[in-house]
PDB file of all heavy atoms in Angstrom:
ATOM      1  N   GLY A   8       8.536  -0.901  -0.950  1.00  0.00           N
ATOM      2  CA  GLY A   8       9.507  -0.394  -1.904  1.00  0.00           C
ATOM      3  C   GLY A   8      10.309  -1.455  -2.632  1.00  0.00           C
ATOM      4  O   GLY A   8      11.376  -1.166  -3.169  1.00  0.00           O
ATOM      5  N   PRO A  16       5.337  -4.237 -24.179  1.00  0.00           N
ATOM      6  CA  PRO A  16       4.535  -4.588 -25.353  1.00  0.00           C
ATOM      7  C   PRO A  16       4.853  -5.961 -25.945  1.00  0.00           C
ATOM      8  O   PRO A  16       3.945  -6.715 -26.263  1.00  0.00           O
ATOM      9  CB  PRO A  16       4.824  -3.482 -26.365  1.00  0.00           C
ATOM     10  CG  PRO A  16       5.813  -2.573 -25.757  1.00  0.00           C
ATOM     11  CD  PRO A  16       6.120  -3.024 -24.374  1.00  0.00           C
ATOM     12  N   LEU A  44      -1.949  -4.163  -7.650  1.00  0.00           N
ATOM     13  CA  LEU A  44      -1.767  -5.439  -8.347  1.00  0.00           C
ATOM     14  C   LEU A  44      -2.851  -6.376  -7.834  1.00  0.00           C
ATOM     15  O   LEU A  44      -2.727  -6.977  -6.778  1.00  0.00           O
ATOM     16  CB  LEU A  44      -0.380  -6.031  -8.058  1.00  0.00           C
ATOM     17  CG  LEU A  44       0.800  -5.358  -8.727  1.00  0.00           C
ATOM     18  CD1 LEU A  44       2.107  -5.967  -8.227  1.00  0.00           C
ATOM     19  CD2 LEU A  44       0.708  -5.471 -10.239  1.00  0.00           C
ATOM     20  N   GLY A  46      -5.319  -9.651  -7.928  1.00  0.00           N
ATOM     21  CA  GLY A  46      -5.567 -11.003  -8.406  1.00  0.00           C
ATOM     22  C   GLY A  46      -4.354 -11.791  -8.870  1.00  0.00           C
ATOM     23  O   GLY A  46      -4.514 -12.843  -9.482  1.00  0.00           O
ATOM     24  N   ALA A  60     -11.012 -48.119  -2.905  1.00  0.00           N
ATOM     25  CA  ALA A  60     -10.385 -48.817  -1.787  1.00  0.00           C
ATOM     26  C   ALA A  60      -9.777 -47.866  -0.760  1.00  0.00           C
ATOM     27  O   ALA A  60      -9.341 -48.307   0.301  1.00  0.00           O
ATOM     28  CB  ALA A  60      -9.310 -49.760  -2.319  1.00  0.00           C
ATOM     29  N   GLY A  77      -5.930  -7.585 -12.476  1.00  0.00           N
ATOM     30  CA  GLY A  77      -6.050  -6.241 -13.011  1.00  0.00           C
ATOM     31  C   GLY A  77      -5.119  -5.284 -12.303  1.00  0.00           C
ATOM     32  O   GLY A  77      -4.384  -5.651 -11.391  1.00  0.00           O
ATOM     33  N   TYR A  90      -2.430   5.364 -19.065  1.00  0.00           N
ATOM     34  CA  TYR A  90      -3.856   5.517 -19.378  1.00  0.00           C
ATOM     35  C   TYR A  90      -4.087   5.445 -20.890  1.00  0.00           C
ATOM     36  O   TYR A  90      -5.028   4.827 -21.360  1.00  0.00           O
ATOM     37  CB  TYR A  90      -4.385   6.835 -18.811  1.00  0.00           C
ATOM     38  CG  TYR A  90      -5.838   7.065 -19.110  1.00  0.00           C
ATOM     39  CD1 TYR A  90      -6.811   6.351 -18.434  1.00  0.00           C
ATOM     40  CD2 TYR A  90      -6.232   7.989 -20.072  1.00  0.00           C
ATOM     41  CE1 TYR A  90      -8.160   6.542 -18.720  1.00  0.00           C
ATOM     42  CE2 TYR A  90      -7.573   8.185 -20.359  1.00  0.00           C
ATOM     43  CZ  TYR A  90      -8.537   7.461 -19.683  1.00  0.00           C
ATOM     44  OH  TYR A  90      -9.860   7.651 -19.962  1.00  0.00           O
ATOM     45  N   ARG A  95      -8.667  -1.161 -24.008  1.00  0.00           N
ATOM     46  CA  ARG A  95      -9.358  -2.423 -24.307  1.00  0.00           C
ATOM     47  C   ARG A  95      -8.702  -3.148 -25.485  1.00  0.00           C
ATOM     48  O   ARG A  95      -8.414  -2.551 -26.514  1.00  0.00           O
ATOM     49  CB  ARG A  95     -10.826  -2.142 -24.597  1.00  0.00           C
ATOM     50  CG  ARG A  95     -11.641  -3.378 -24.855  1.00  0.00           C
ATOM     51  CD  ARG A  95     -13.100  -2.986 -25.134  1.00  0.00           C
ATOM     52  NE  ARG A  95     -13.871  -4.122 -25.534  1.00  0.00           N
ATOM     53  CZ  ARG A  95     -14.545  -4.908 -24.698  1.00  0.00           C
ATOM     54  NH1 ARG A  95     -14.546  -4.636 -23.404  1.00  0.00           N
ATOM     55  NH2 ARG A  95     -15.231  -5.943 -25.146  1.00  0.00           N
ATOM     56  N   THR A  97      -5.724  -4.249 -25.838  1.00  0.00           N
ATOM     57  CA  THR A  97      -4.283  -4.089 -25.998  1.00  0.00           C
ATOM     58  C   THR A  97      -3.600  -5.322 -25.419  1.00  0.00           C
ATOM     59  O   THR A  97      -3.881  -5.721 -24.294  1.00  0.00           O
ATOM     60  CB  THR A  97      -3.780  -2.829 -25.277  1.00  0.00           C
ATOM     61  OG1 THR A  97      -4.381  -1.686 -25.881  1.00  0.00           O
ATOM     62  CG2 THR A  97      -2.267  -2.705 -25.350  1.00  0.00           C
ATOM     63  N   ASN A 100       2.606  -7.640 -21.916  1.00  0.00           N
ATOM     64  CA  ASN A 100       3.072  -8.480 -20.812  1.00  0.00           C
ATOM     65  C   ASN A 100       3.243  -7.638 -19.561  1.00  0.00           C
ATOM     66  O   ASN A 100       3.937  -6.617 -19.595  1.00  0.00           O
ATOM     67  CB  ASN A 100       4.428  -9.095 -21.169  1.00  0.00           C
ATOM     68  CG  ASN A 100       4.352  -9.932 -22.415  1.00  0.00           C
ATOM     69  OD1 ASN A 100       3.996 -11.093 -22.376  1.00  0.00           O
ATOM     70  ND2 ASN A 100       4.684  -9.339 -23.555  1.00  0.00           N
ATOM     71  N   VAL A 102       5.117  -7.437 -16.250  1.00  0.00           N
ATOM     72  CA  VAL A 102       6.325  -8.022 -15.667  1.00  0.00           C
ATOM     73  C   VAL A 102       6.455  -7.483 -14.251  1.00  0.00           C
ATOM     74  O   VAL A 102       6.394  -6.271 -14.031  1.00  0.00           O
ATOM     75  CB  VAL A 102       7.579  -7.671 -16.503  1.00  0.00           C
ATOM     76  CG1 VAL A 102       8.832  -8.242 -15.853  1.00  0.00           C
ATOM     77  CG2 VAL A 102       7.419  -8.176 -17.932  1.00  0.00           C
ATOM     78  N   ILE A 107      13.375  -6.857  -4.452  1.00  0.00           N
ATOM     79  CA  ILE A 107      14.575  -6.071  -4.740  1.00  0.00           C
ATOM     80  C   ILE A 107      14.141  -4.610  -4.721  1.00  0.00           C
ATOM     81  O   ILE A 107      13.124  -4.255  -5.319  1.00  0.00           O
ATOM     82  CB  ILE A 107      15.168  -6.420  -6.121  1.00  0.00           C
ATOM     83  CG1 ILE A 107      15.593  -7.898  -6.166  1.00  0.00           C
ATOM     84  CG2 ILE A 107      16.355  -5.513  -6.449  1.00  0.00           C
ATOM     85  CD1 ILE A 107      16.021  -8.370  -7.541  1.00  0.00           C
ATOM     86  N   VAL A 109      13.168  -0.999  -5.470  1.00  0.00           N
ATOM     87  CA  VAL A 109      12.767  -0.460  -6.773  1.00  0.00           C
ATOM     88  C   VAL A 109      13.825   0.440  -7.387  1.00  0.00           C
ATOM     89  O   VAL A 109      13.887   0.581  -8.606  1.00  0.00           O
ATOM     90  CB  VAL A 109      11.412   0.297  -6.705  1.00  0.00           C
ATOM     91  CG1 VAL A 109      10.281  -0.637  -6.348  1.00  0.00           C
ATOM     92  CG2 VAL A 109      11.472   1.461  -5.758  1.00  0.00           C
ATOM     93  N   THR A 129     -11.305   0.086 -19.334  1.00  0.00           N
ATOM     94  CA  THR A 129     -10.964   0.901 -18.176  1.00  0.00           C
ATOM     95  C   THR A 129     -12.222   1.239 -17.391  1.00  0.00           C
ATOM     96  O   THR A 129     -13.265   1.560 -17.965  1.00  0.00           O
ATOM     97  CB  THR A 129     -10.279   2.208 -18.624  1.00  0.00           C
ATOM     98  OG1 THR A 129      -9.069   1.862 -19.290  1.00  0.00           O
ATOM     99  CG2 THR A 129      -9.967   3.115 -17.451  1.00  0.00           C
ATOM    100  N   THR A 138      -8.631  11.442  -1.565  1.00  0.00           N
ATOM    101  CA  THR A 138      -7.945  10.383  -2.305  1.00  0.00           C
ATOM    102  C   THR A 138      -7.561  10.873  -3.691  1.00  0.00           C
ATOM    103  O   THR A 138      -7.996  11.942  -4.120  1.00  0.00           O
ATOM    104  CB  THR A 138      -8.815   9.111  -2.404  1.00  0.00           C
ATOM    105  OG1 THR A 138      -8.026   8.045  -2.906  1.00  0.00           O
ATOM    106  CG2 THR A 138     -10.010   9.304  -3.306  1.00  0.00           C
TER     107      THR A 138
END
Side-chain angles (χ1 to χ4, degrees):
L44 287 174
Y90 179 74
R95 183 180 173 91
T97 297
N100 301 276
V102 178
I107 298 173
V109 295
T129 298
T138 191

